[in-house]
Amino acid sequence: MDLRMFVDRLQSMGKLQVIEREVDPYLEMARVIHTLGERPVLFLCVRGSSFPVIAGLCSTREQIALGLEIEAGKLLPTLAGALRQPVEPQCVDTAPCQEVVEPDVDLMQLPVNTHFVEDGGPYVTTGVVVMGDPDLGRNVSYHRLQRLDRRHFAVRIVEGRGMHTAWSKTGEDLPVAVCIGNSMPVLLAGAMSPAPGVDELSIANALGATPVVKCVTSNLEVPAHCEIVLEGRLTHELVEEGPFVDLTETRDIVRLQPVLEVDCITHRSDAIYQTLLPGGCEHKLLMGLPREPSIFEAVNEVCRCLNVSLTAGGGHWLHAVVQISKQDAVDGSRAIGAAFKGHSSLKHVVVVDESVDLFDPQAVEWAIATRFQADSDLNVLHNQPSSSLDPSATQVPGKKARTAKMGLDATVKWDSGDKQAQLGSYEKVQYESVELGDYLPGPQD
Ligand SMILES: Cc1cc2nc3c(=O)[nH]c(=O)nc-3n(C[C@H](O)[C@H](O)[C@H](O)COP(=O)(O)O)c2cc1C
């Protein structure tokens, strides 16, 4: 199901808000999306652009699951399965994303949003960028793009990740293709960070058929059914990028970042431009949800992992709850170490047992209150590589930021004595319910 089929599906289910009056991409559109609580919205008339704009497609786990045509409870195993067994996509000769080819590039025709007055400029926020690493092959990742003029963007490339590695080792311009308006499989796979050399478009194709087509100006292949493709080159010219509000809802700092020069725009004849709110729930979920299977796989290597949740309060990025079936006294501590390996930006993790609902913050806090002792169950790691998005981390120009990390083992504990008797003292009691009609007056009484 490509983006427009998903939009149609949402509309037929009564879940799509359509706005017909003209809306300005400068500040106004972001404010409307936010005021609507990021539910799916289609803007038909956008000031200064002929492209309609869609937002809010990935703002809940349920909607993401709908876009994959699965139940929400199946998200983690489905993503983990595709990560484990990617399927190479078929390459086609003609594609909807190339119905219109525009070599005379004018980025001003795109409805690129400015979200806050203080922003460094208008930003493309849903750009899934395809490039080829000279040694590792195709890599796909999101990059925020700050529009500079008719042909140029400043591109944020996080240090140490696939794009940064490829760009750092090529002295020449690096061909890239920015895909906007993608299917759910591409939106999720683009946010994954599989082992080096594993192709994210093959992961997308394992999640749902994702044929690819060769670009007009390079040998890169892009999802044939996306809406808009910006073909170009990541140069070695550096400019100031930012400020930009990122997923912690705080302003990321201004850095020197490379310039992307666009050589050609291709798009569907009636293309829809996709946007999302920086720092909004869609941004957070798209970042975090595709990392849950990586943590799940890593923890499963050291003990039995049942589920993983990157929680909303940590921006679905910095905080996780890991649920395990504890077999060995040290499984909680093992799970902490593995979770940090599974997601290098993770800062704090809580490990709980199967009896604790990891999606309920109050239940997780109860597990910490009743199963955790700070002098024996707390793992603190010093001076670790971290997310650049945490304003309290130590920023190192041109390198990964540094942080302290903390893991809380909030699982039940037992020693060499009677294990069953010890476990019993941790169990939460349950009241039995009664039939209230036996106790309360009825309507006629
Ligand atoms: C909405 C969204 C925006 C993102 N913006 C950026 C960005 O501006 N720069 C960046 O380096 N990563 C960004 N990311 C994260 C990368 O896409 C992600 O880390 C990717 O999986 C890296 O893959 P790699 O390790 O295979 O290179 C963003 C992710 C999402 C979902």
Side-chain angles (χ1 to χ4, degrees):
M1 182 160 56
D2 60 23
L3 176 125
R4 57 185 52 216
M5 286 160 78
F6 184 39
V7 172
D8 287 348
R9 173 82 54 92
L10 290 168
Q11 186 155 32
S12 66
M13 293 170 77
K15 288 177 186 260
L16 181 74
Q17 190 77 52
V18 179
I19 295 190
E20 290 182 13
R21 69 170 255 196
E22 188 183 75
V23 178
D24 197 329
Y26 179 77
L27 304 179
E28 186 186 16
M29 189 178 287
R31 289 171 183 170
V32 175
I33 297 167
H34 180 257
T35 309
L36 281 167
E38 289 183 65
R39 64 176 185 265
V41 54
L42 181 65
F43 297 93
L44 293 179
C45 182
V46 182
R47 183 164 304 161
S49 177
S50 57
F51 293 96
V53 177
I54 185 78
L57 292 184
C58 308
S59 48
T60 65
R61 284 180 192 263
E62 289 68 26
Q63 257 166 234
I64 291 175
L66 192 66
L68 287 182
E69 301 180 85
I70 58 169
E71 289 165 24
K74 295 268 159 53
L75 275 169
L76 190 135
T78 304
L79 295 181
L83 191 60
R84 236 175 274 135
Q85 282 188 308
V87 182
E88 203 182 324
Q90 182 203 359
C91 188
V92 295
D93 293 333
T94 53
C97 70
Q98 293 178 344
E99 280 166 359
V100 179
V101 177
E102 295 189 22
D104 187 15
V105 173
D106 180 10
L107 298 175
M108 296 300 170
Q109 61 170 311
L110 295 177
V112 184
N113 299 97
T114 301
H115 304 89
F116 296 96
V117 178
E118 298 81 2
D119 284 357
Y123 270 90
V124 174
T125 52
T126 61
V128 173
V129 186
V130 180
M131 61 88 181
D133 181 290
D135 308 312
L136 299 168
R138 181 157 62 205
N139 187 281
V140 181
S141 51
Y142 285 78
H143 294 274
R144 67 190 193 219
L145 307 173
Q146 179 186 347
R147 189 171 64 191
L148 302 175
D149 56 40
R150 283 167 63 100
R151 279 193 67 186
H152 300 96
F153 291 108
V155 188
R156 169 66 181 135
I157 55 170
V158 173
E159 297 72 16
R161 295 241 180 85
M163 177 69 89
H164 185 260
T165 311
W167 174 77
S168 303
K169 65 184 167 195
T170 44
E172 302 182 346
D173 293 356
L174 183 70
V176 296
V178 181
C179 308
I180 301 169
N182 289 291
S183 66
M184 197 59 79
V186 174
L187 288 169
L188 293 170
M192 286 184 173
S193 208
V198 177
D199 169 34
E200 286 93 344
L201 287 184
S202 298
I203 297 176
N205 194 44
L207 289 170
T210 306
V212 293
V213 67
K214 198 157 103 51
C215 283
V216 175
T217 60
S218 73
N219 285 327
L220 294 169
E221 291 166 349
V222 289
H225 290 263
C226 73
E227 298 284 323
I228 302 168
V229 182
L230 313 176
E231 300 185 6
R233 292 159 288 109
L234 193 61
T235 70
H236 286 268
E237 181 190 347
L238 299 179
V239 288
E240 287 198 340
E241 185 272 332
F244 178 79
V245 171
D246 217 298
L247 91 168
T248 44
E249 295 166 71
T250 54
R251 268 191 192 91
D252 200 0
I253 57 171
V254 176
R255 301 178 182 83
L256 285 177
Q257 292 289 288
V259 170
L260 162 60
E261 185 160 294
V262 179
D263 297 317
C264 178
I265 302 180
T266 74
H267 59 85
R268 292 186 185 240
S269 52
D270 54 352
I272 307 171
Y273 177 91
Q274 187 185 8
T275 192
L276 59 73
L277 284 192
C281 45
E282 185 171 18
H283 185 188
K284 292 173 184 155
L285 265 180
L286 263 181
M287 291 268 295
L289 200 127
R291 295 307 168 103
E292 291 174 354
S294 310
I295 300 175
F296 180 78
E297 297 284 286
V299 175
N300 249 321
E301 284 185 16
V302 296
C303 63
R304 199 162 159 243
C305 185
L306 300 176
N307 213 339
V308 174
S309 167
L310 280 161
T311 58
H316 289 300
W317 192 244
L318 299 175
H319 287 180
V321 183
V322 171
Q323 188 188 48
I324 62 169
S325 168
K326 188 169 166 177
Q327 313 291 320
D328 190 282
V330 293
D331 276 354
S333 168
R334 284 186 185 132
I336 289 171
F340 287 134
K341 285 201 184 111
H343 174 36
S344 62
S345 293
L346 190 63
K347 185 178 176 190
H348 299 143
V349 58
V350 182
V351 183
V352 298
D353 300 290
E354 58 237 273
S355 58
V356 176
D357 178 0
L358 80 166
F359 294 111
D360 177 358
Q362 209 167 314
V364 174
E365 191 181 345
W366 174 86
I368 296 171
T370 59
R371 300 177 173 192
F372 168 79
Q373 288 295 315
D375 56 358
S376 55
D377 304 330
L378 178 67
N379 293 15
V380 176
L381 308 176
H382 301 272
N383 193 22
Q384 298 292 305
S386 82
S387 169
S388 60
L389 303 177
D390 171 8
S392 71
T394 306
Q395 302 283 345
V396 191
K399 294 205 172 124
K400 259 195 115 42
R402 310 294 293 185
T403 189
K405 300 196 175 196
M406 172 173 81
L408 287 76
D409 176 4
T411 59
V412 294
K413 309 294 175 333
W414 64 80
D415 57 28
S416 50
D418 179 351
K419 185 174 161 188
Q420 281 317 316
Q422 293 176 58
L423 294 186
S425 65
Y426 286 104
E427 268 170 31
K428 206 174 199 175
V429 299
Q430 296 291 340
Y431 282 100
E432 285 188 24
S433 292
V434 295
E435 184 50 62
L436 274 184
D438 297 343
Y439 301 87
L440 302 178
Q444 298 93 339
D445 298 331

